[in-house]
Structure formats: structure tokens, C-alpha cells
Amino acid sequence: MPYNPQNIFAKILRGEIPCHKVYEDDHVLAFHDIHPQAKIHILVIPKGAYVDMTDFSKNASEREIAALFRAVAKIAKDHDLESSGYRILSNQGVNGGQEVPHLHIHLFGGQSLGPMLARSQSPF
Ligand code: 5GP
């Protein structure tokens, strides 16, 4: 799927739509999810135009890849999540339920997060 520069996160990156920013560096922006699904629900995105993890892993530089994962860990630390624990998740494509076609990592924390997938969705 080619990158669509009209996606909502591209608009946030261009400053056309506001966000509640929690972190920014040369390669990464992080902000609160507009519909939080946990006490802490932050979206961490690369500034580069990458659709998903497949695109990012193939086409991003080593520096961009390191920056994204270092940012996730730093944001978790800054929100006191290291000892209490947290979850990161990235949806891709139809089966992943990805809604916004710009790579993003969800960071959840601040509470017990329950099973990895909703029990009702598990075929096992
Ligand atoms: P996905 O389903 O693609 O993994 O997750 C997209 C996430 O983006 C959802 O959790 C949704 O609430 C969030 N989201 C969608 N539009 C906006 C927006 O305009 N601002 C912010 N901060 N989050 C958004």
C-alpha cells in the first residue's frame, strides 16, 4: 500500500491537527491517543512516511529504527512504567485492525492490562 500523506498522523506531524504531545526528537513524535483504552495510552510514531512495520523495517534507516524503540522505552520510563509494567502493540493491515496507515506503536500502562487479546476474540 503506498503511503497516503492525507492520513491523520501525517496531518498531526505537519501541525495541521493538534495533539497532546508527550515526546519529540528528530525522528519521533509521541502523543496521547484521542480515545484512550487504558489510563496511559500513548502513540509513538516515526516522523518519516512509513505505512506500517513492514514498510518501516524495509525502508527506514538504522537511526530511525533505533530512535523509535529508544523513544518508546524513554517515554515508558518518563511515565514511571518501568517497574509497574506496560504493553506495546502495533496493528498492521486488515487482520491487525490497523485504522491509521502511518506506523504507530501503542504504549499502554498505568493499570493491569489483562490478557493480550480479548478472550472473546481468541479462537483457542
Ligand atoms: P490503529 O487502530 O490504527 O492501531 O490505531 C489508531 C489509533 O489512533 C486509535 O487508537 C485512535 O484512537 C487514534 N486516533 C485516531 N485519530 C486520532 C487523532 O486525531 N488524534 C489522536 N491523538 N489519536 C487518534
Side-chain angles (χ1 to χ4, degrees):
M1 189 206 304
Y3 186 81
N4 176 0
Q6 292 313 312
N7 79 75
I8 203 95
F9 294 167
K11 291 181 180 178
I12 286 175
L13 283 166
R14 290 195 295 267
E16 295 166 13
I17 290 179
C19 71
H20 183 172
K21 181 167 79 178
V22 299
Y23 176 81
E24 181 170 16
D25 65 27
D26 288 349
H27 300 293
V28 179
L29 180 69
F31 47 90
H32 288 285
D33 195 291
I34 203 166
H35 296 305
Q37 296 186 51
K39 269 191 189 153
I40 295 172
H41 183 177
I42 291 167
L43 299 170
V44 189
I45 70 173
K47 287 187 172 175
Y50 302 106
V51 176
D52 54 22
M53 192 58 82
T54 298
D55 186 13
F56 189 64
S57 65
K58 277 188 191 152
N59 299 313
S61 66
E62 307 294 311
R63 194 172 286 221
E64 290 174 293
I65 292 170
L68 185 69
F69 286 95
R70 291 222 166 90
V72 170
K74 175 173 171 37
I75 294 160
K77 181 177 185 343
D78 290 348
H79 287 77
D80 287 327
L81 299 179
E82 278 185 342
S83 59
S84 57
Y86 59 92
R87 178 173 296 158
I88 62 173
L89 177 156
S90 187
N91 294 316
Q92 170 156 332
V94 174
N95 279 1
Q98 182 178 7
E99 291 172 5
V100 179
H102 181 114
L103 174 65
H104 47 285
I105 295 180
H106 296 260
L107 169 61
F108 302 102
Q111 63 180 83
S112 174
L113 294 163
M116 189 164 60
L117 294 175
R119 296 278 182 220
S120 59
Q121 289 171 12
S122 171
F124 304 109

